[in-house]
Amino acid sequence: MRPAAGPGVEPGAGPERVEPVRRATGLLGEFNRAGVLGYADVHVARRLGALAGEASEEVALACALAVRAVRQGSVCLPLATVAGATAVDGLSNDDVQSLPWPSVAAWEAALSDSPLVAVGPEGRADRPLRYVGGLLYLDRYWRQERVVADYVDRAMRVAADVVDPDHLHAALDRLFVTGSRAPSPSPSPAPDLQRLAAVVAAHKRFSIVAGGPGTGKTTTVARLLALLQDLAGGGLRIALAAPTGKAAARLTEAVRDAGDRLPDQDRDRLGVLTARTLHRLLGSKRGARTRFWHDRDNRLPYDVVVVDEASMIPLTMMSRLVEALRPSCRLVLVGDPDQLSSVEAGAVLGDLVGRTVPGDAASADMVASAVPDDLAGLSDGDREAALRAGVVRLSKVHRFSKEIQELAEAIRRGDQQPELLEEVLDQGYSCIELVDADPASPGFPSESLRADVLASGRSLVTAAREGRAEQALAALEQHRVLCGHREGPHGVAWWAQQIETWLADDIAGYAKDGVWYVGRPLLVTANDYQLGLFNGDTGVVVAVDGEPRAAFRRDGRVDLLGPSRLSDVHTVHAMSVHRSQGSQFDRVTLILPPEGSPLLTQELVYTAVTRAKQYVRIVGTRDALRAAVRRPIQRASGLRG
C-alpha cells in the first residue's frame, strides 16, 4: 500500500480551486467549505447516496474523498492515513487534521453496512465502491488494478520458452560487450546491465527496462529485440508502442538508428519497425474513450510488445493493454519511474518497479547463469529484482554531464537523503546554476537567464530568416524555459510573454510579419496523423523563397509545410515540465513553483533537470528547492502489493 496523495491538479495548472456547494451539509459541507472537497466530489457522493438511499455522513465523506483521490491521480483511498496525508493549498497540516475526520473503525462499520460498498474481493459486483484491505476504491479502478496485478503475477510465475544456453551466450557476445567475454564487432559497446535486461527478457514473459534519460534504454531495446529474433530463428511478430504520437515517432527513429549499428545478420532479421500510439495499437473505437477493438476476446497478434515512455501510462490504459495480449506474448515496458506520471489515475510503472512478485525460481536460476557474477553497479537488491521480478534499472548516463547526473540523483533521493542536494549545490559546478530568488519578486529576472534567451533567439531568427531550416531547428533546442504552472509569474503564459518581449526589444522587426512570422517557434498541441505531426512536436517558421514555411524534423529529415496546413499549433517560448517529457535541450531553465504550491514536487524538478544535456538553471528560492526534493508525489495504490 502507498500513502495517500497530496493535492494534485492537471500538470501545468495552478493551485486547485474549490467552489462552495450551497446544498452540502454535514461532513460533506464542512470538508467542502474547508477546501478539501470540490464540487465534483460532493456532487458524486450526494448523487450516489440519493440513488441508493444511503444517509450515512461517513459513507458520503469517504465516497467524496475517493472521487477526489482519483482526480488527483490516486486509484484508491487509504482510510488509515488519509487525514495526515491530505494537503490543501492555503491550509496547514494542523488545520486539515483538525477537521472532524471519522475514525477508521467508524468508517469501516459504516462502509460495511452501506448499499454503495462491496467489501472484499468477493463482494458484490454491482456496487460503485469497493473496500479491500483498508483501501476504498471506485469499483472500476479496483477491477483495472486487479487485471494488471493478476497479469504480472501470472507472467512472472510462468517461464518463457526454454533458451539454449550456448545459443544465448553466442548471441550475447555478438550483440553486447562485457568484461568477461570476447569483444564484439559492434561499434557501440554496451554495459553489463544492458546485457542483463536482454537476458531477463529472453527468460520472462514480462520485464521492465528502467532508467533515466541517456541511459541507453532504446539501444538496449533494439539489441534485446535482435536477441529475441535470433533465439527464435526469426519470424517474431513485434509491435512497438508509446502513449503519445510524439513518443512513438521518437521510438521509431531511435530503434532504427540503433538497429543500423547491429551486425548485418541481426539488422536484417530485426527488419524495419514502426511504433504506434497505444490507442492505434489497440484500435480505437469511435465514441469509446477506454474501449478498443483488441481486448480479451480479440487478442493482439504479436509475439513481443515493447512500450516506451511507460511512466506516462495510466492504470486504465495499462489494464486494456495487458487484457489484449496473448498468453504467449512477451511484454517489455521501458521508461523512467522517477519522472512525472500520467495525468490520469495511476503511477503504474513506478508501482510495478516496486511491486513484490512471486517470480519463478527456475527462470531466475537460468537468468543468473547467463550473466556475469560481478555486474558493475548492481546491488543484491537490484539483482534480485532482475532475476525474480524482471526489472533492470540502467544507471550509466551517456547523454548529459556527470554533474547534472549527480544533481538528478540527489533530487531523486531527496526525500531520504536531503543532504545530497546541498552537497551538489555547494560544489559550485559551472553547468549548474541556482538563482536563489522568487521569480515573482521585484527586480527579477536574472541577467544570465535573459542572456540565454537572447542567444538562442538570435541564432534561431538568423537561421530562419536565411532559410536554414536545419540550423533553425537546432537553435530551437539550445535553450528552453520550463514551468510548473500555467499562469502567474511562475507559469508558462507569463514567461512566454516575457520572452517575446525580450526578443522583440533585441531583434529588429521581430514578430512584425503577422501570425506566421519568420522565426516563430511552434508547438503542436494535437495529433495530425495525415501530416505526421504529434502533440508535443516542435518546429519553427523559416523563410523559403520569400515565403514562410513551417519546418519540422520527422524521421531524421526536415520537412517544410505550408502554414495553412497547420491547425493545432501554439507559440512555444516556454513549456510545462510535463509536456517536456521525452525532449532534450542543450540548456534548461526551470522556473520553480512557489514553496506552497502543490505542484512543487521531487518528480517535477527531476523531470525538468533531466531534460538538460549541458547546463541547468533553477530559478527559485533555495528553500523552495529543498521543499521540492523532500516531497515525492505519492499516489495511493494497491498495486505494489
Side-chain angles (χ1 to χ4, degrees), residues 1-5 65-66 69 74-86 101 104 107 131-137 634-638:
M1 183 186 79
R2 301 177 69 182
L65 289 169
S74 294
V75 297
C76 59
L77 182 74
L79 295 186
T81 60
V82 62
T86 297
W101 296 92
V104 175
W107 247 332
Y131 185 62
V132 181
L135 304 175
L136 181 66
Y137 293 82
Q634 296 175 322
R635 292 189 171 189
S637 164

Side-chain angles (χ1 to χ4, degrees), residues 235-257:
L236 288 179
R237 293 167 293 182
I238 297 172
L240 302 181
T244 67
K246 176 185 175 183
R250 189 178 59 253
L251 177 61
T252 297
E253 185 174 351
V255 168
R256 288 180 183 175
D257 288 345

